[in-house]
Amino acid sequence: MTGPQKAIKVLSIIIVIVGILALIAGLTTCAGSAALVGAGAEASAADQDMYALGAGMFMVLAAGAIITGILNLIIGICGIRGAKDPNKIMPFFVFTIIGLVIAAVGLISSLASGVNDPTTLVSNVVEVVLMAVCVYLAIEVKKLRS
C-alpha cells in the first residue's frame, strides 16, 4: 500500500466518524425540534408562532446535518474501499469533488453572511482543506490503476 493509499484510509476512517457524529447531531436536533413544538402546545397563540418558527429552524439545521453526515459516510466508505484497490477509487474521487464544492459554498456563504464566529469559520476552512487533500490523494491513487 502506497503513501497516498494509507493517507486515504486514515482520512476516510476520520470522515466516517465525523459522518456518524453528524448523523447523531442531526437526529438529535430533529428530536429537539419535535420537543419544542410539543412544549409550545400549551403556550398562547402568539408564543406558539415563535415555538413553530424555532422548531422549523431546528429542522433545517437537522436536515443539513443529516445530509452532511450521509455524504461523509459515503465519502469515507468509498475512500476505504478505494484505498484497498486503486481500481475502485473513482467513486471516492467523485464524491470528494462534490464534498469540496459543498464545503467551498459553505465557507463562501459564511464569509458573505458576515459570520464572526471563529469556530464556524475554522470548521469551514478545515472542511475545504480536508476535501481538497482527499481530491489530491485520489488523483495520486488514480495514477496507480492498472
Side-chain angles (χ1 to χ4, degrees):
M1 191 176 278
T2 65
Q5 286 174 289
K6 289 177 186 174
I8 286 175
K9 185 174 181 179
V10 170
L11 288 175
S12 294
I13 291 169
I14 292 169
I15 292 170
V16 166
I17 292 168
V18 169
I20 291 169
L21 292 174
L23 278 173
I24 291 169
L27 294 173
T28 303
T29 303
C30 187
S33 71
L36 187 59
V37 169
E42 297 297 321
S44 66
D47 288 341
Q48 284 181 353
D49 289 342
M50 294 305 287
Y51 279 102
L53 179 63
M57 290 170 42
F58 274 123
M59 286 301 274
V60 169
L61 290 172
I66 290 169
I67 291 168
T68 301
I70 291 170
L71 181 60
N72 282 338
L73 281 174
I74 292 170
I75 290 170
I77 291 167
C78 290
I80 292 168
R81 186 172 164 239
K84 289 179 185 174
D85 182 0
N87 293 320
K88 296 180 181 178
I89 199 68
M90 279 308 291
F92 176 74
F93 178 67
V94 170
F95 282 114
T96 54
I97 289 175
I98 293 168
L100 178 60
V101 169
I102 291 171
V105 167
L107 176 60
I108 292 167
S109 68
S110 290
L111 293 172
S113 66
V115 172
N116 293 328
D117 177 29
T119 305
T120 301
L121 293 176
V122 169
S123 172
N124 287 336
V125 169
V126 167
E127 184 74 20
V128 168
V129 170
L130 177 65
M131 287 297 126
V133 167
C134 286
V135 169
Y136 169 76
L137 291 170
I139 291 169
E140 290 300 309
V141 171
K142 277 176 49 175
K143 293 176 184 176
L144 301 173
R145 295 190 309 180
S146 52

